[in-house]
Amino acid sequence: DLMKVRNMVQSMVLRFGMSDLFPNYAPIQTEGQNIYSEETATKIDEEVKRIIQECTVLTEKKVKLYKDKIEKLAKAVLLKESLNHQ
């Protein structure tokens, strides 16, 4: 689910400082609401989108590179599952 991915990446950026743009960033919270400028909010959104796009491209490359191994593994898992459910 894309929303779960976005929330996870946003946590990586805001809570865990896993971004070169926002290292050790801890926004002020008031009654559960983050308080930062519109400019900062835009930068956060852009960074989240960048990370998701970068990870998507990397994943697609890895899947293409290891496609034969992934298919072999998938067949083995399906075979094992069918044997376990007889």
Side-chain angles (χ1 to χ4, degrees):
D1 179 62
L2 188 57
M3 186 55 92
K4 287 181 184 178
V5 170
R6 188 187 186 300
N7 289 341
M8 181 174 57
V9 174
Q10 191 171 30
S11 289
M12 290 168 53
V13 171
L14 295 178
R15 294 182 65 203
F16 305 113
M18 298 174 73
S19 164
D20 291 338
L21 292 179
F22 298 96
N24 304 315
Y25 182 73
I28 299 168
Q29 292 192 346
T30 304
E31 297 178 24
Q33 297 293 327
N34 291 328
I35 302 194
Y36 37 78
S37 71
E38 190 64 35
E39 181 182 348
T40 299
T42 299
K43 287 180 181 179
I44 291 168
D45 287 343
E46 289 171 355
E47 182 68 353
V48 168
K49 288 176 189 176
R50 184 197 66 76
I51 291 170
I52 291 171
Q53 184 177 19
E54 184 178 293
C55 290
T56 299
V57 168
L58 180 61
T59 301
E60 288 172 352
K61 285 181 182 179
K62 295 290 183 178
V63 168
K64 286 178 185 176
L65 180 65
Y66 296 109
K67 182 179 178 184
D68 57 330
K69 292 180 181 184
I70 293 169
E71 287 176 349
K72 193 173 184 179
L73 177 62
K75 287 177 185 177
V77 169
L78 288 173
L79 179 62
K80 183 169 175 52
E81 284 296 315
S82 64
L83 291 175
N84 287 339
H85 290 296
Q86 287 184 351

